[in-house]
Amino acid sequence: GEDVEQSLFLSVREGDSSVINCTYTDSSSTYLYWYKQEPGAGLQLLTYIFSNMDMKQDQRLTVLLNKKDKHLSLRIADTQTGDSAIYFCAALGDLKAAGNKLTFGGGTRVLVKP
Amino acid sequence: DSGVTQTPKHLITATGQRVTLRCSPRSGDLSVYWYQQSLDQGLQFLIQYYNGEERAKGNILERFSAQQFPDLHSELNLSSLELGDSALYFCASSESFGGHEQYFGPGTRLTVT
């Protein structure tokens, strides 16, 4: 089945850009997502990208997808202390094969230092 | 606020007991998903319902069951609880069976003692 991997931790200075990376294994993944989880809270859908796109920009967020390498990244511009959270990468497999289930990575804890 | 509600927020119970977790999807959403988040397994898909019918199953134990009611709310029943069932249980919803944007509720934290 699908496997999604992320690095565990990222530390960044306030005002700098953050880049969080993710790799996945299933080339038939249709959509790829980034979710944010703050302490004691649920998962907030930040953005997503369709598998036939290379890049998607949404305000401070830029998603890059390298389908050949099965690599996804999330860049956060002008990182703020409120961006400190755990970020999860997730992949949606082929609807017929896997239903609508999301496969999540282990999460990257981002710490923004003032 | 995603619009998905879950009750209760916290639940503490003993091994061997049975609990029911409740989820109300966003207004208009027909699909409901259940996920389990634990320290050792991470976030794992359990089951999906669409308009009252089971549509996809993940790593859901036989001791666990779910259903979606005519008003589209869903319940996850966990029985013969074990210490290892302690986790955060999330419900998510999407517009349709193939609706790819899943919006998550705040979760129910289950502690089994």
Side-chain angles (χ1 to χ4, degrees):
Chain A
E2 174 84 89
D3 193 24
V4 179
E5 300 280 343
Q6 299 177 238
S7 52
L8 285 177
F9 184 72
L10 176 69
S11 179
V12 63
R13 289 250 171 247
E14 191 175 15
D16 288 350
S17 291
S18 313
V19 178
I20 309 166
N21 295 299
C22 168
T23 57
Y24 60 99
T25 56
D26 188 352
S27 56
S28 65
S29 292
T30 50
Y31 285 90
L32 295 129
Y33 305 82
W34 286 102
Y35 282 86
K36 176 184 180 183
Q37 185 177 31
E38 295 180 85
L43 293 160
Q44 177 192 352
L45 176 60
L46 288 178
T47 187
Y48 62 86
I49 189 166
F50 185 47
S51 58
N52 70 352
M53 295 171 63
D54 299 323
M55 185 181 93
K56 181 179 179 182
Q57 188 147 4
D58 186 357
Q59 299 183 337
R60 291 192 298 124
L61 305 178
T62 303
V63 180
L64 294 178
L65 175 60
N66 181 328
K67 201 171 174 184
K68 176 176 163 286
D69 293 339
K70 300 191 197 74
H71 182 267
L72 181 75
S73 67
L74 175 69
R75 177 176 178 270
I76 307 173
D78 187 25
T79 312
Q80 303 297 308
T81 53
D83 295 324
S84 290
I86 301 176
Y87 291 79
F88 290 93
C89 169
L92 184 71
D94 179 77
L95 187 61
K96 289 177 188 167
N100 227 29
K101 75 168 204 175
L102 291 175
T103 301
F104 284 87
T108 300
R109 184 177 296 273
V110 174
L111 177 63
V112 182
K113 295 180 179 178
Chain B
D1 185 355
S2 67
V4 178
T5 60
Q6 290 186 248
T7 55
K9 207 174 171 84
H10 300 277
L11 201 46
I12 302 174
T13 190
T15 53
Q17 294 299 305
R18 173 189 167 95
V19 296
T20 298
L21 313 184
R22 185 189 165 104
C23 166
S24 292
R26 292 186 319 159
S27 177
D29 283 0
L30 298 178
S31 259
V32 168
Y33 311 79
W34 287 96
Y35 290 84
Q36 179 195 59
Q37 185 178 34
S38 62
L39 283 174
D40 52 344
Q41 300 283 337
L43 262 161
Q44 290 214 312
F45 168 76
L46 295 178
I47 198 162
Q48 177 197 3
Y49 277 82
Y50 172 71
N51 208 18
E53 290 188 14
E54 181 186 307
R55 285 306 180 109
K57 222 166 182 174
N59 300 321
I60 188 165
L61 299 170
E62 282 192 15
R63 300 183 285 108
F64 295 1
S65 65
Q67 58 185 129
Q68 187 179 26
F69 294 86
D71 67 352
L72 301 175
H73 91 271
S74 177
E75 292 181 358
L76 179 67
N77 301 296
L78 315 176
S79 61
S80 302
L81 284 167
E82 301 174 1
L83 295 177
D85 298 327
S86 295
L88 201 46
Y89 291 85
F90 286 111
C91 169
S93 72
S94 68
E95 278 184 3
S96 61
F97 170 57
H100 75 90
E101 293 178 53
Q102 294 184 25
Y103 293 90
F104 281 71
T108 293
R109 182 168 293 283
L110 173 66
T111 304
V112 182
T113 61

